[in-house]
């Protein structure tokens, strides 16, 4: 009875093309015995692949490190679900199911279009969704000129940094916009909060527009079905890790669900021309949770940054298909929400004091972050007879060692017997060479015990011969110094003439060829 049953089972498996072979137990004369087990392809089995969360590389088996970017421990298991017939549920099929009600009933066949036909009658400057007000203008500049219809924007950042606050304020501005023919519906969907909780936050932010609709759901198909009658001007999903798509394996927040949900929302945005803003959580490494392919799918990726004990927030574009990634938005978190910082340099500058011993060892440098210039303070402390030779914060150690060596060799400062401490105020990392002269000036000030006047700024790179070299965007840096009321700006001699011709009233441009000239100019008796 057992032999006949096993044989019949194997014949059925062969007909379904799922039979592979027989794993032998004990049998008589090679017959299939009761302890034999048929090895077959399981119906509906998920295909397992391994995806690198850094670069998106996919492999059919696990490796110790990614074969594309060579990062160790970044391969994560990725399940691709299959239906009962063995056919994989593709992202296209799942996304079509989600946006089916928005698709035309009889879509026509369309081929490639001429570029001139596509752009005819379209004004790219007025085509974007404008963001009014001082706050809106700051976000608009980071986006490259406004929100593009049909775009998919991803906003990432650490927990509690203010992502939901930022996006809710943007939603209120879009809903109340008068530039596009008057107010229009904007839908804010949250999978983490109830509508009452979002309403409390909106009341705190003083958002009172009647065109902002709130909804709490985690089902993509349900969300798209419920908002159809509104035809919103924009859709916001908070967050992409909380929503799921029916027919796709895995729970919400898993690699498969995050990727397929993003693909479905991208198809929805391109089909309806409705812009979508997604909020994404970050992992321990600071990257948006999920495979890096998530960032490849969306059109714009914005990161919101902020120190744990600081109220200032930076909105930085990492990817932007419609504008530059050199822009930077600066905000301050308050009880009533995010406010624009009119003078970003105040983040990195301490209170100004009159000329005193307090300023010994402190110099002001001008750095660029994207297209924006900032003034930062560099502190130096020289101590003789200390057991610690050097301690550096915020400056590359190799760069600091080079500048100290140049001061000893080319400027004649006897720093060999001194312990040197260097620090950049506010804990930022100085990565460009434009702060070299300020670092050298701070060290000289502490060593000579001669305070630097608080109205002097330094711009320039130092070479191994002690010479001062020009850095990019000198005009913009000097303009920032002049706007903040500084009386003197020390620059390389090679850039003095071109900058002086710009006519900065009330500020003296001092050009120096080398470090000796800088010391003689700043520390003259």
């Amino acid at each position: 009875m057992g032999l006949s049953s096993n044989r019949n089972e194997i014949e059925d498996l062969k007909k379904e093309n799922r039979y592979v072979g027989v794993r032998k137990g004990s049998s008589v004369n090679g017959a299939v015995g009761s302890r034999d087990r048929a090895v077959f392809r399981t119906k509906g089995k998920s295909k397992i692949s391994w995806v690198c969360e850094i670069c998106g590389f996919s492999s059919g088996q696990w490796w110790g490190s990614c074969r594309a970017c060579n990062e160790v421990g970044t391969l994560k298991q990725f399940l691709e679900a299959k239906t009962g017939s063995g056919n994989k549920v593709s992202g296209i099929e799942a996304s079509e199911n989600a946006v089916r009600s928005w698709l035309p009933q009889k879509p026509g066949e369309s081929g490639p279009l001429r570029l001139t036909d596509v752009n005819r009658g379209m004004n790219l400057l007025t085509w974007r969704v404008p963001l009014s007000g001082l706050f809106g203008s700051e976000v608009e500049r980071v986006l490259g000129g406004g929100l593009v219809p049909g775009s998919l924007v991803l906003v990432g950042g650490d927990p509690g940094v203010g992502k939901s606050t930022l996006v809710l304020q943007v939603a209120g501005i879009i809903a109340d916009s008068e530039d596009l023919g008057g107010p229009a519906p904007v839908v804010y969907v949250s999978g983490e909060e109830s509508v009452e909780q979002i309403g409390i936050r909106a009341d705190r932010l003083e958002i009172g527009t009647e065109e902002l609709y709130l909804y709490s759901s985690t089902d993509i198909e349900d969300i798209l079905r419920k908002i159809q009658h509104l035809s919103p001007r924009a859709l916001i999903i908070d967050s992409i890790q909380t929503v799921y798509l029916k027919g796709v394996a895995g729970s919400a927040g898993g690699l498969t669900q995050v990727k397929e949900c993003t693909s479905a929302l991208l198809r929805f945005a391109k089909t309806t021309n409705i812009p979508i803003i997604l909020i994404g959580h970050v992992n321990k490494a600071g990257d948006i949770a999920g495979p890096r392919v998530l960032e490849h799918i969306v059109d714009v990726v914005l990161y919101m940054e902020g120190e744990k004990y600081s109220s200032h927030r930076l909105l930085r574009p990492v990817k932007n298909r419609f504008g530059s990634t050199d822009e930077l938005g600066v905000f301050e978190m308050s009880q009533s929400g995010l406010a624009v910082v009119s003078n970003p340099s105040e983040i990195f500058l301490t209170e100004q004091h009159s000329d005193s011993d307090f300023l010994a060892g402190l110099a002001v440098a001008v750095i660029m972050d994207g297209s924006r210039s900032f003034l930062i303070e560099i502190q130096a402390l020289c101590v003789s007879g200390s057991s610690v030779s050097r301690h550096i914060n915020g400056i590359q150690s190799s760069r600091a060692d080079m500048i100290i060596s140049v001061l000893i060799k080319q400027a004649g400062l006897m720093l060999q017997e001194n312990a040197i401490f260097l620090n950049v105020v506010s804990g930022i990392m100085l990565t460009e060479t434009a702060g070299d002269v300020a670092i050298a000036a701070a060290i000289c000030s502490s060593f000579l015990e001669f305070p630097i006047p608080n109205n002097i700024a330094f711009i320039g790179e130092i070479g191994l011969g002690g010479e001062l070299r020009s850095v990019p965007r000198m005009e913009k840096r000097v303009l920032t110094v002049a706007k903040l009321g500084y009386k003197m700006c020390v620059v390389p001699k090679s850039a003095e003439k071109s900058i002086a011709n710009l006519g900065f009233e009330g500020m003296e441009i001092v050009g120096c060829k080398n470090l000796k000239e800088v010391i003689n100019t700043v520390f003259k008796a």
Side-chain angles (χ1 to χ4, degrees), residues 98 218-225 237 243-245 261 264-265:
T218 56
D219 185 351
I220 290 290
E221 294 186 35
D222 172 66
I223 293 170
L224 300 185
R225 184 171 59 252
I237 305 293
V243 295
Y244 68 92
L245 197 59
C261 286
L265 291 171

Side-chain angles (χ1 to χ4, degrees), residues 364-366 375 455-459 481 486 488-491:
V364 176
V366 186
L375 270 64
N455 57 6
I456 298 179
F458 300 87
I459 307 173
V481 174
Y486 282 72
M488 179 185 295
C489 186
V490 177
V491 300

Side-chain angles (χ1 to χ4, degrees), residues 181-489:
V186 173
V187 181
Y188 187 104
V189 180
S190 176
E192 302 175 345
E193 299 175 286
S194 65
V195 292
E196 291 79 13
Q197 292 171 327
I198 305 173
I200 293 173
R201 178 153 34 93
D203 183 63
R204 177 173 59 84
L205 301 178
E206 299 180 355
I207 300 174
T209 175
E210 295 184 357
E211 295 299 329
L212 181 57
Y213 291 80
L214 308 179
Y215 187 51
S216 181
S217 178
T218 56
D219 185 351
I220 290 290
E221 294 186 35
D222 172 66
I223 293 170
L224 300 185
R225 184 171 59 252
K226 293 294 177 59
I227 70 172
Q228 184 174 10
H229 71 282
L230 293 173
S231 294
R233 180 177 286 169
L235 173 64
I236 294 163
I237 305 293
D238 183 8
S239 66
I240 188 62
Q241 280 83 13
T242 61
V243 295
Y244 68 92
L245 197 59
K246 292 180 180 178
V248 175
S251 58
L255 299 181
T256 310
Q257 283 286 358
V258 168
K259 179 175 180 289
E260 300 300 349
C261 286
T262 307
S263 298
L265 291 171
L266 177 68
R267 181 170 173 78
F268 168 80
K270 305 307 179 186
T271 302
T272 61
N273 223 27
I274 295 175
I276 300 178
I277 301 177
L278 308 176
I279 294 179
H281 298 309
V282 298
N283 53 29
K284 293 181 179 179
D287 300 321
I288 294 179
R292 184 53 63 92
V293 292
L294 174 62
E295 298 187 14
H296 299 332
I297 295 174
V298 301
D299 299 309
V300 180
V301 179
L302 306 178
Y303 271 88
M304 198 166 186
E305 306 170 358
E307 294 294 331
K308 186 175 181 180
Y309 301 106
S310 173
S311 61
H312 292 96
R313 302 289 186 268
L314 304 179
L315 186 63
R316 189 188 307 274
V318 178
K319 171 187 176 181
N320 192 352
R321 288 174 176 163
F322 314 113
S324 172
T325 56
D326 289 336
E327 298 295 342
L328 184 70
V330 184
F331 305 91
E332 184 175 10
M333 181 66 75
S334 63
Q335 182 64 27
S336 58
L338 290 168
V340 177
V341 176
S342 57
N343 176 22
S345 295
E346 71 183 25
I347 304 174
F348 311 112
L349 295 178
T350 58
E351 295 182 4
Q352 296 296 323
H353 299 262
S354 59
D355 295 349
S356 65
D357 292 340
F358 176 85
L359 288 176
L362 191 150
V364 176
V366 186
I367 64 170
M368 298 291 297
D369 194 328
S371 63
R372 304 192 72 165
S373 54
F374 299 91
L375 270 64
I376 63 171
E377 288 180 343
I378 297 175
Q379 298 173 325
L381 178 64
C382 296
V383 181
S384 60
S386 174
S387 59
V388 180
S389 60
R390 231 164 257 177
H391 191 81
I392 300 170
N393 289 324
I395 303 171
Q396 295 176 349
S397 298
S398 58
R399 195 78 196 169
D401 292 340
M402 186 207 77
I403 294 173
I404 294 171
S405 300
V406 171
L407 283 172
I408 295 173
K409 176 70 175 179
Q410 306 296 345
L413 268 67
M414 306 299 292
L415 299 173
Q416 295 89 335
E417 302 299 327
N418 286 261
I420 299 177
F421 299 83
L422 290 174
N423 178 56
V424 179
V425 174
S426 297
I428 68 170
M429 186 68 187
L430 183 60
T431 57
E432 63 171 339
T433 59
D436 287 359
V437 179
I439 296 172
I443 295 173
C444 292
S445 173
S446 178
F447 179 76
L448 300 174
E449 297 184 357
F450 193 111
I452 299 175
N454 57 18
N455 57 6
I456 298 179
F458 300 87
I459 307 173
E461 176 184 346
I462 296 177
L464 291 178
E467 76 279 10
L468 268 59
R469 298 176 178 269
S470 182
V471 293
R473 301 182 182 180
M474 288 291 299
E475 295 82 2
K476 190 162 188 176
R477 297 175 196 263
V478 176
L479 179 61
T480 301
V481 174
K483 284 182 177 180
L484 294 178
Y486 282 72
K487 301 300 182 184
M488 179 185 295
C489 186

Side-chain angles (χ1 to χ4, degrees), residues 493-525:
K493 190 71 174 180
S494 58
E496 178 185 14
K497 184 178 293 186
S498 61
I499 295 174
N501 293 335
L502 298 178
F504 295 103
E505 295 184 2
M507 186 178 71
E508 181 185 2
I509 305 296
V510 179
C512 299
K513 292 182 180 180
N514 50 49
L515 281 176
K516 288 184 179 180
E517 290 190 11
V518 173
I519 295 173
N520 293 333
T521 301
V522 177
F523 304 102
K524 56 186 177 182

